[in-house]
Amino acid sequence: MELISSAQRNRLFETFTRDAFHLELRDDYSVADEDGPYESWLRQEPVNYAYMQPWTQLIQRVTGQGKTVRRVRVVTQPHSPYIQWEHAATAHNEDAGEQIRWLARHFLPDELVFPVADNDWWLFDGRLLAVGHFDSGGRVLGSELVETADVVAECVRVRDLLWDLATPHREYRP
């Protein structure tokens, strides 16, 4: 399997035409850029959110072109410290133009089977998947690009189902 880097995956945001959707299924992400701010947050110190600027600028640019960027975060309750941190930082994503919803894992339909081996994924225009892969410590290894029609169609179905079930960020109470 060939993996692309996070930077290469982010370049896909320059090529999609309508909608980018991210499904998050993990209760902890070990993102190197977040280590310092996350540790500050855990110590209840002021957090410098400057590390988010490349992402928020990208999102502002694409949503300013009339495109949508959405994500659903499927989370375990009670929330892990990382999910609590993620919730606290989500206003920055939304201020940039992302639409984010939350869904408690125990509200998932019993019959739901996640495609692509329960990995997170980005779905671009309902035609291209960037499936996230992680090492055993939770660090991002990269993304696998998938265009197989039946896999993409199943991800579109899951996207639509979960988007309707999930609670918008501003209404979600951890």
Side-chain angles (χ1 to χ4, degrees):
M1 153 182 39
E2 185 177 331
L3 299 179
I4 63 171
S5 69
S6 295
Q8 290 170 306
R9 186 213 53 226
N10 286 353
R11 283 198 282 278
L12 295 172
F13 285 86
E14 304 297 341
T15 62
F16 80 98
T17 59
R18 297 179 324 276
D19 182 63
F21 174 84
H22 192 208
L23 177 63
E24 293 183 6
L25 297 171
R26 301 173 62 89
D27 286 319
D28 197 333
Y29 291 87
S30 297
V31 180
D33 290 352
E34 295 179 354
D35 286 347
Y38 177 54
E39 292 299 322
S40 294
W41 181 83
L42 286 172
R43 291 189 302 269
Q44 299 182 338
E45 298 171 356
V47 176
N48 180 351
Y49 289 99
Y51 76 95
M52 292 182 73
Q53 284 182 339
W55 178 255
T56 57
Q57 289 170 348
L58 172 64
I59 298 307
Q60 287 172 334
R61 189 168 59 254
V62 299
T63 59
Q65 297 167 353
K67 302 173 187 179
T68 59
V69 179
R70 305 179 291 156
R71 70 174 79 207
V72 168
R73 292 177 169 151
V74 176
V75 294
T76 302
Q77 291 180 332
H79 296 122
S80 69
Y82 185 90
I83 294 299
Q84 293 172 36
W85 145 257
E86 200 171 49
H87 187 270
T90 295
H92 298 281
N93 298 74
E94 287 208 323
D95 288 347
E98 271 191 84
Q99 301 170 43
I100 298 176
R101 294 186 178 188
W102 300 82
L103 181 60
R105 199 172 307 279
H106 63 272
F107 289 134
L108 290 170
D110 291 336
E111 69 279 1
L112 179 64
V113 175
F114 286 108
V116 296
D118 291 344
N119 288 317
D120 290 8
W121 38 266
W122 278 99
L123 175 63
F124 296 94
D125 291 330
R127 64 171 183 76
L128 174 66
L129 284 174
V131 180
H133 292 272
F134 301 85
D135 69 15
S136 60
R139 295 276 179 189
V140 176
L141 295 172
S143 294
E144 172 189 9
L145 296 181
V146 176
E147 295 181 274
T148 308
D150 59 333
V151 174
V152 170
E154 183 59 12
C155 289
V156 168
R157 186 188 74 75
V158 168
R159 175 200 64 196
D160 295 346
L161 171 71
L162 297 183
W163 187 255
D164 288 343
L165 291 174
T167 303
H169 174 69
R170 296 189 191 284
E171 298 170 22
Y172 184 74
R173 300 296 169 249

